[in-house]
Each structure stands twice: as C-alpha cells, then as structure tokens.
Amino acid sequence: MSKRSQTNSGIQAHRPKPRVPVPEAPSRKWVYYSMLGGLVAILIALPFAWDPLVDWLGRNRATPKLNPAEAPGPAPKGMVWVRGGEYYRGIDDDEVLGDKGGPSGFDRLEDARIVRKVYVDGFFMDTHEVTNEQFAEFVKATNYVTYAERKPDPKDFPDYENILKRRKVKELAPFSLVFKTPTEEVANLWAPGAEHSWFEVRDYACWKHPEGKDSTIHGRENYPVVHVCWDDAVAYCKWAGKRLATETEWEFAARGGLDGALYCWGNKLKPDGKWMANTWQGKFPTHNSKEDGHEGASPVGSYPANGYGLHDMAGNVWEWCSDYYLDSYYALSPAENPQGPAASEVRYDPGKGYRVQRGGSFLCAENFCQRYLPGARGKGEQSSGNIHVGFRCVQDAPGRPK
C-alpha cells in the first residue's frame, strides 16, 4: 500500500461519522388533545350505544342456578318451602320506563337500580300476611301492647308543646296514620310533605281499630293486621318461633321463580284482563275506580299465589323486612345471604332508624308508588306503622346456623 493510501485510510478512519437525523418527539399537548378528543367522541356516542349495550348485557346474563326444589322436611302449618338459590336482585331500566308494557316511569326507583346476582339459602315462608285473627291470638297469649296503642312520649316530639296548642289538648292520645281522600287534586305528589294531603293522624287508630276508635276488625279476621311497627312485628315473630325475612330473601320469594319478570306473575299487569294484586286503580290519591273490587285492604289470599305458593307478595299491605334501610346498600352488599347494612341512613330524615318494607300496598298506583314490583324497595321508620303496613314471617330450614 502506498503512503498516500495509508494516509487516506487514516484520515477516513478518524473522520466523524455522519449523524443520522433523529425525529423530533411529538409535543405532549397533541397526546392530550388526542385523548380528550377520544373521550368527547365516547361521550357523544354513549347515549346512542347505552340502550343496546344494556339490552345485550341483559340478554347475556348467566342463568341463575336454583337450589333443589325438595323441602328439607314438612312445611310448618300455614307456610311453604322457598327453595333458595341465585337470582338477579334489583330492577332494570326497561322495567322502570315501561318498555315491557308496565309502569309509566314516574317513580324511577333509584335505590333498586343496581342489578346484581345474589344467592340465598332456602327457607319456609308464611303463605300470606299475618292476619288480625293470628295477631289477636298473640296479644291474648302475651298481653302485648302495640306502639300505636301506647301513650306518646313527649321526648319523641321536638315540637310537642306547639302540637298540644294546635290541637287544643293537654296531652297527646295514642294515634296512627289513616288514609283520607283529598278534597282536591295534589299538584306534586313528590313534593316534601305531600303525603299530608292523603294521610291524617287519627287518635286511637290501631290494629284493633284500623280507621279510628269507632272502627272494628269484627268481620275482618282474615284481613292482614295493620298499624304494626317493626318492633311489633318482631315481637310477634319471636312468639311464633319465626323471624322477619331479609330483604334479599323477600325479593327471591316474591319473584316465585320468574327471574327478571316485571311482576310477581309475569310481564303483563293484567293477564287476560284479570287483576292479580290489590293495588290502586285510577288516579292516586283522588280517584279510586276499585276495578279490583277493593277500596282498602282485602282478605289474605284473595288473589292467585305466585310460583312458590305465596299470596299478596304484591299489593294489599306493605311488609316489614329485617334489614335496616340504606339507599346505597345494593352497591355494597355481599353476594351471598346479605343481611342488610349495620345501620340506617335516610338523607331527608337523619338519625332515625328506618327498616325495609317490601311489596307495596292497596295505595300503590301506576301514577304514584309503583313499588308493588318485586324488584322495588320501600322503607318505614322503625317505631311507626299505619293503615297499609303489615308483615309476614319466615322460618329457617332445620339445621341452618342461626
């Protein structure tokens, strides 16, 4: 190799290599803009895609598994075996909005709108609500006095002195709430205090005198007992060797094996034109057409039983459950044998002990309080009863842990 070639080779070896241009990284702001644009697109499309998505999820739910139908032993008198198993607790949008030909959607039932698969063990349940005759036997055996029959405690009434002045009395008599038909239309059924338009305090109204001291249960022995508070119902259950159902047990039983159906008997309010429950027909609270033949409560068993042999799981009178009421409980509860929250919380009435009520009553109408649906929830202050609140009992299967 010539000296010149060696020199050129050395020069080439030490010459800096050409730099390959590195593409400049895109500005972060464009990443943010892209993400924001995608989010906006999703929000715009969501209203159009939501209903099909919900429908798709509903159609593709796993079929709930039921326990064997056989009872673990003979049913106690007046009770039937409810087999237990899985079901979808709560109520769907299409049920609330009436897409199945049901209620018109005034009451959106927000506290029951989280639909989740839950499981309950089997149990025995009264075929109908506890009757006046049954409750009278309990009172005769125990000398029990219901809360509605007891002298009111001034400590329970922060405005006690003003109440006495308004009523022009020296002390309050025992009382309970009784329905009265308003003399004029109620402009807003959901306005705070609107219930005062159709409920009135009636002295000495109680289970023995449903409409007040001059009324009687004579001839109504087979009607559901009313004006019983939660504590009264629990006292009866203990005497009878039974208990109140949990809210989740109650709904499983009310559905009668028809998981996802709108009503306890199917998806039509009046199959073959027949009323299936004692509810309000007409415009509540001023006009009751009484198409079902009843203005108030009806004798237990007046309507067909559901698939588990249970009567009046919709309408007639509300039924107490064991659970405290919490509107957000469905988002928090366990999926197996839920027992309810540890305490109650109601936004508009803090500090009070509210318990769950289920099934609706003869005052539930399509234009107000559609809570006769098996998936709908209700509530009541623990120490209060009224003209349309009763209960029924359940009993554990032999050998089930307490």
Side-chain angles (χ1 to χ4, degrees):
M1 178 182 295
S2 66
K3 291 183 178 181
R4 183 172 180 177
S5 298
Q6 292 176 350
T7 302
N8 288 340
S9 298
I11 292 172
Q12 292 295 331
H14 291 88
R15 179 178 292 172
K17 295 180 179 180
R19 294 182 179 180
V20 178
V22 177
E24 185 177 347
S27 172
R28 286 183 178 272
K29 66 181 182 180
W30 293 108
V31 176
Y32 297 144
Y33 289 158
S34 299
M35 293 174 62
L36 181 60
L39 179 60
V40 171
I42 291 173
L43 292 176
I44 293 174
L46 188 58
F48 302 97
W50 182 252
D51 286 343
L53 177 62
V54 169
D55 288 344
W56 182 86
L57 290 173
R59 289 192 299 270
N60 288 277
R61 287 178 183 159
T63 302
K65 298 177 181 179
L66 299 177
N67 292 340
E70 296 77 22
K77 182 180 178 181
M79 306 187 86
V80 294
W81 174 245
V82 179
R83 65 197 296 182
E86 298 174 339
Y87 76 102
Y88 287 96
R89 183 188 62 189
I91 193 162
D92 286 323
D93 272 358
D94 57 352
E95 295 177 355
V96 176
L97 298 176
D99 293 343
K100 294 181 180 179
S104 52
F106 288 100
D107 184 351
R108 296 189 60 81
L109 312 173
E110 298 290 350
D111 58 353
R113 294 277 288 281
I114 295 178
V115 178
R116 291 179 59 193
K117 186 168 69 175
V118 292
Y119 169 86
V120 293
D121 290 329
F123 53 93
F124 292 103
M125 192 174 211
D126 289 346
T127 59
H128 55 70
E129 297 139 339
V130 172
T131 65
N132 287 319
E133 183 177 36
Q134 291 172 316
F135 199 79
E137 293 175 2
F138 157 63
V139 171
K140 182 178 179 180
T142 62
N143 294 316
Y144 184 83
V145 179
T146 64
Y147 271 56
E149 298 173 275
R150 302 176 193 179
K151 181 180 178 181
D153 188 339
K155 292 185 296 184
D156 295 333
F157 300 87
D159 200 28
Y160 187 77
E161 293 300 326
N162 288 331
I163 294 174
L164 296 181
K165 290 179 181 178
R166 286 198 303 269
R167 302 192 66 181
K168 298 180 181 179
V169 295
K170 293 183 179 180
E171 61 180 11
L172 291 181
F175 69 89
S176 190
L177 295 178
V178 175
F179 175 79
K180 65 171 184 178
T181 303
T183 56
E184 56 186 32
E185 296 288 339
V186 180
N188 184 355
L189 298 175
W190 291 270
E195 66 276 8
H196 298 305
S197 300
W198 59 83
F199 278 125
E200 70 175 2
V201 172
R202 190 122 357 133
D203 287 348
Y204 303 105
C206 65
W207 74 275
K208 292 184 292 187
H209 308 291
E211 290 79 40
K213 63 181 180 180
D214 295 327
S215 63
T216 177
I217 58 171
H218 180 68
R220 292 191 277 182
E221 289 81 4
N222 200 37
Y223 282 61
V225 66
V226 292
H227 294 294
V228 286
C229 71
W230 186 88
D231 300 275
D232 299 330
V234 169
Y236 176 94
C237 289
K238 289 181 178 178
W239 170 78
K242 303 177 183 181
R243 63 175 175 85
L244 293 176
T246 67
E247 180 175 20
T248 304
E249 287 174 332
W250 196 99
E251 184 175 332
F252 179 92
R255 291 187 176 278
L258 298 177
D259 188 71
L262 181 57
Y263 302 102
C264 298
W265 51 86
N267 285 324
K268 291 185 178 180
L269 176 62
K270 296 170 58 182
D272 298 323
K274 183 178 180 180
W275 287 103
M276 302 294 287
N278 182 10
T279 58
W280 181 287
Q281 292 89 50
K283 186 176 181 181
F284 181 86
T286 53
H287 176 66
N288 186 356
S289 64
K290 297 178 282 187
E291 291 177 27
D292 62 357
H294 301 285
E295 184 172 12
S298 56
V300 298
S302 296
Y303 297 85
N306 73 359
Y308 291 141
L310 301 165
H311 295 271
D312 298 321
M313 296 300 283
N316 216 14
V317 298
W318 285 98
E319 299 180 16
W320 288 109
C321 292
S322 62
D323 308 34
Y324 277 113
Y325 174 83
L326 185 68
D327 60 0
S328 60
Y329 182 64
Y330 277 18
L332 309 170
S333 80
E336 184 170 334
N337 290 316
Q339 299 297 303
S344 171
E345 184 60 42
V346 176
R347 288 187 295 270
Y348 61 79
D349 200 4
K352 294 289 185 69
Y354 276 76
R355 297 281 183 169
V356 172
Q357 297 171 345
R358 297 297 297 254
S361 79
F362 59 85
L363 295 179
C364 284
E366 287 214 62
N367 72 305
F368 181 70
C369 184
Q370 303 157 356
R371 295 172 187 260
Y372 47 78
L373 306 178
R377 309 175 69 197
K379 60 184 176 295
E381 201 277 316
Q382 181 170 325
S383 62
S384 297
N386 61 49
I387 190 67
H388 67 149
V389 175
F391 69 103
R392 79 176 72 208
C393 310
V394 302
Q395 193 174 86
D396 291 313
R400 180 183 176 185
K402 302 294 182 182

